[in-house]
Amino acid sequence: MNTGEDVKNLDAETTIRYPASEFSKWCFDILETVIQSFVIVLIIFTPFFRVMTVDGESMMDTLFNQDKIFVWRWNYTPTKGDVVTITHGQKFDKPIVKRVIATGGDTLNIDFTDGSVTVNGEVLNETYIKEPMWLEEDGEIPAVVPMGYCFVMGDNRNHSSDSRSKLIGLIPDEDVIGKVSFIVFPFNRISAVS
């Protein structure tokens, strides 16, 4: 004679054994499909874009440390005002993120007394910077950016190593990986980057 406990165990065993094996198979099939799709997307779209992680606070408040960003790579040429990712030969362990301030042929002047940046005779309206710039760094600011190079700075100017520094200096156009187009994670920060 079955006790209530035996019936409960039998029901639990039946519920777990048969539907669970079907559910496991279904989960495995879905996971396999997702992984295959992800690999196909990576193979097809890697020349076009990349997802990267911001390391550091030099681009605050535009980008924060550990933000995941979508970087458009295909046929990109550095353009003034764009936020870009940069690989700089053997000088960095990983790519860095900065804003293009001036490109080849542009005249450039930085006034460290009032923090203003002038490109081609026009003072930039830099609403994106975290605070007025006072950090001068140790690099040489060119009067004219050479062709094939760009001058970059972080939006958090007083906490950014960028083209103002000897360590980084001017960036060859070929070292620009691409334009940062979107923040994709964390979810509460998903937005276009400008």
Side-chain angles (χ1 to χ4, degrees):
M1 180 173 175
N2 288 337
T3 65
E5 191 172 326
D6 291 335
V7 171
K8 201 187 285 181
N9 287 341
L10 181 63
D11 288 344
E13 188 175 314
T14 304
T15 303
I16 292 169
R17 185 179 299 154
Y18 298 105
S21 64
E22 290 298 316
F23 181 72
S24 296
K25 183 179 180 318
W26 179 79
C27 284
F28 180 77
D29 288 344
I30 293 293
L31 183 61
E32 184 179 33
T33 302
V34 167
I35 290 171
Q36 288 173 350
S37 300
F38 183 71
V39 168
I40 289 168
V41 165
L42 280 180
I43 290 168
I44 292 172
F45 291 107
T46 295
F48 300 99
F49 72 87
R50 220 168 134 180
V51 175
M52 303 176 83
T53 303
V54 175
D55 184 23
E57 300 176 345
S58 73
M59 285 302 294
M60 287 174 58
D61 286 334
T62 304
L63 300 171
F64 288 84
N65 188 39
Q66 298 304 303
D67 279 354
K68 305 286 185 213
I69 52 177
F70 178 95
V71 180
W72 182 256
R73 301 175 62 176
W74 182 256
N75 204 24
Y76 177 73
T77 302
T79 305
K80 285 188 286 292
D82 285 355
V83 176
V84 296
T85 54
I86 300 159
T87 179
H88 202 34
Q90 300 301 313
K91 292 185 181 180
F92 309 120
D93 293 337
K94 50 185 124 181
I96 59 173
V97 182
K98 303 294 174 190
R99 186 179 297 273
V100 177
I101 301 301
T103 57
D106 288 336
T107 61
L108 176 66
N109 182 55
I110 300 176
D111 186 338
F112 290 100
T113 56
D114 67 6
S116 66
V117 178
T118 304
V119 177
N120 298 328
E122 184 177 327
V123 177
L124 300 183
N125 179 20
E126 298 187 291
T127 56
Y128 43 77
I129 64 172
K130 184 169 177 63
E131 60 190 4
M133 174 180 52
W134 52 262
L135 182 65
E136 192 165 341
E137 289 285 353
D138 60 357
E140 183 181 328
I141 309 298
V144 178
V145 178
M147 297 306 291
Y149 289 85
C150 55
F151 187 92
V152 299
M153 289 198 281
D155 290 355
N156 190 5
R157 298 279 163 83
N158 300 316
H159 302 279
S160 174
S161 288
D162 48 43
S163 290
R164 295 169 294 164
S165 165
K166 285 182 183 176
L167 175 66
I168 296 177
L170 292 168
I171 305 296
D173 289 349
E174 62 265 18
D175 286 351
V176 176
I177 297 169
K179 177 183 177 180
V180 178
S181 301
F182 298 98
I183 300 168
V184 295
F185 188 82
F187 296 125
N188 65 335
R189 288 186 35 76
I190 291 176
S191 61
V193 174
S194 59

